[in-house]
């Protein structure tokens, strides 16, 4: 049994998945925690984007390349990593909740048995900008770019474009989308997802 939480960055995926896992005794699988483990097994011919993401510095990631190229490599790296995610999930022998940007609706659709066990969190660009700026580690990344302000704006624009794409995919495929704009707090979103997953009265 797999519960899927996809979407764009800074939407609360990781925190909400952890809360659900702890309350309902689910195995938690966070895609970001496994990305660099997967990089150890990539093929330079088959996993060009993963290799590039793993090796590029912050300036290359967010400043020196065009926004189109940033988005293209970002999406391609998730497409390449998704097969590794599936391999990991096959080795888990208990109910699991998996979260991450890698769970693009077009990739996950074939593996979702029940639509009420999959949801995508889509933050507004304003919400992303506000909450990214609160993360101390962001400044450490941006300081290594030629122009931190431009690099940050590129980062936010890339993520906004990714969020738009994921939103469109999810709706086209008939999946549930939860828009995150700050009008509902974390606990309220937790309850919404718990009810959508039909977990509130479940005994897993």
């Amino acid at each position: 049994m797999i519960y899927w939480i996809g979407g764009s960055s800074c939407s609360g995926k990781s925190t909400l998945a952890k809360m659900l896992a702890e309350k309902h005794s689910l195995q938690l699988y966070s895609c970001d925690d496994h990305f660099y483990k997967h990089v150890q097994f990539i093929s330079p011919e088959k996993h060009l984007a993963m290799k590039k993401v793993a090796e590029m510095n912050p300036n290359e990631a967010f400043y020196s390349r065009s926004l189109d190229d940033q988005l293209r490599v970002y999406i391609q790296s998730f497409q390449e990593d998704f097969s590794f995610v599936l391999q990991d999930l096959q080795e888990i022998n208990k109910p699991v909740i998996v979260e991450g940007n890698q769970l693009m609706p077009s990739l996950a659709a074939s593996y979702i048995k029940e639509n009420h066990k999959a949801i995508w969190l889509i933050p507004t660009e304003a919400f992303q900008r506000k909450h990214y700026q609160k993360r101390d580690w962001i400044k450490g990344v941006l300081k290594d770019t030629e122009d931190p302000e431009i690099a940050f704006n590129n980062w936010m624009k890339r993520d906004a474009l990714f969020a738009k794409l994921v939103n469109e995919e999810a709706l086209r495929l008939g999946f549930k989308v939860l828009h995150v704009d700050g009008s509902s707090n974390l606990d309220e979103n937790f309850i919404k997802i718990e009810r959508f997953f039909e977990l509130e009265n479940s005994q897993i």
Side-chain angles (χ1 to χ4, degrees), residues 44-119:
E45 295 79 22
K46 293 181 180 180
H47 306 100
L48 297 174
M50 287 182 71
K51 183 176 186 296
K52 188 166 186 175
V53 168
E55 294 177 351
M56 71 173 61
N57 58 46
N59 198 64
E60 186 180 2
F62 303 114
Y63 181 78
S64 63
R65 295 180 301 132
S66 69
L67 187 59
D68 285 345
D69 190 58
Q70 290 181 38
L71 180 63
R72 180 188 62 80
V73 173
Y74 190 59
I75 291 172
Q76 188 178 335
S77 70
F78 295 148
Q79 293 169 336
E80 293 172 0
D81 191 36
F82 185 70
S83 61
F84 290 105
V85 171
L86 290 177
Q87 291 174 25
D88 290 346
L89 293 177
Q90 289 173 355
E91 297 176 3
I92 299 175
N93 296 315
K94 62 177 292 187
V96 57
I97 185 163
V98 54
E99 66 84 15
N101 295 354
Q102 285 85 335
L103 312 182
M104 297 180 66
S106 57
L107 297 176
S110 299
Y111 305 93
I112 296 170
K113 305 304 181 185
E114 299 173 279
N115 279 19
H116 74 272
K117 289 186 171 66
I119 192 168

Side-chain angles (χ1 to χ4, degrees), residues 4-179:
W4 308 76
I5 300 182
S8 188
S9 298
C10 212
S11 59
K13 297 189 304 299
S14 299
T15 303
L16 289 164
K18 183 179 180 181
M19 291 167 66
L20 288 161
E22 290 176 349
K23 180 175 179 180
H24 296 285
S25 301
L26 299 166
Q27 176 80 36
L28 175 62
Y29 182 98
S30 295
C31 293
D32 281 353
D33 291 346
H34 297 266
F35 180 84
Y36 285 96
K37 297 176 187 176
H38 297 159
V39 167
Q40 300 175 41
F41 303 101
I42 63 174
S43 161
E45 295 79 22
K46 293 181 180 180
H47 306 100
L48 297 174
M50 287 182 71
K51 183 176 186 296
K52 188 166 186 175
V53 168
E55 294 177 351
M56 71 173 61
N57 58 46
N59 198 64
E60 186 180 2
F62 303 114
Y63 181 78
S64 63
R65 295 180 301 132
S66 69
L67 187 59
D68 285 345
D69 190 58
Q70 290 181 38
L71 180 63
R72 180 188 62 80
V73 173
Y74 190 59
I75 291 172
Q76 188 178 335
S77 70
F78 295 148
Q79 293 169 336
E80 293 172 0
D81 191 36
F82 185 70
S83 61
F84 290 105
V85 171
L86 290 177
Q87 291 174 25
D88 290 346
L89 293 177
Q90 289 173 355
E91 297 176 3
I92 299 175
N93 296 315
K94 62 177 292 187
V96 57
I97 185 163
V98 54
E99 66 84 15
N101 295 354
Q102 285 85 335
L103 312 182
M104 297 180 66
S106 57
L107 297 176
S110 299
Y111 305 93
I112 296 170
K113 305 304 181 185
E114 299 173 279
N115 279 19
H116 74 272
K117 289 186 171 66
I119 192 168
W120 276 264
L121 276 55
I122 309 297
T124 63
E125 184 174 354
F127 183 89
Q128 280 187 314
R129 284 178 175 269
K130 177 181 177 181
H131 287 273
Y132 257 120
Q133 288 172 342
K134 294 179 180 179
R135 296 178 172 181
D136 291 336
W137 60 268
I138 294 290
K139 296 177 182 178
V141 173
L142 294 174
K143 71 177 179 60
D144 292 326
T145 65
E146 293 179 47
D147 189 318
E149 183 176 353
I150 291 177
F152 181 72
N153 282 330
N154 287 341
W155 193 341
M156 294 303 98
K157 289 176 183 177
R158 183 204 68 180
D159 280 11
L161 289 170
F162 179 73
K164 181 175 183 291
L165 173 65
V166 171
N167 182 64
E168 291 172 351
E169 280 192 3
L171 294 177
R172 186 180 75 249
L173 293 167
F175 291 123
K176 176 71 172 178
V177 169
L178 177 61
H179 291 105

Side-chain angles (χ1 to χ4, degrees), residues 171-203:
L171 294 177
R172 186 180 75 249
L173 293 167
F175 291 123
K176 176 71 172 178
V177 169
L178 177 61
H179 291 105
V180 180
D181 59 6
S183 59
S184 298
N185 62 34
L186 194 68
D187 289 335
E188 290 169 333
N189 285 340
F190 174 85
I191 292 171
K192 290 176 183 178
I193 297 174
E194 184 182 47
R195 288 175 176 171
F196 178 72
F197 282 166
E198 300 178 0
L199 281 169
E200 68 269 31
N201 297 313
S202 69
Q203 298 293 325

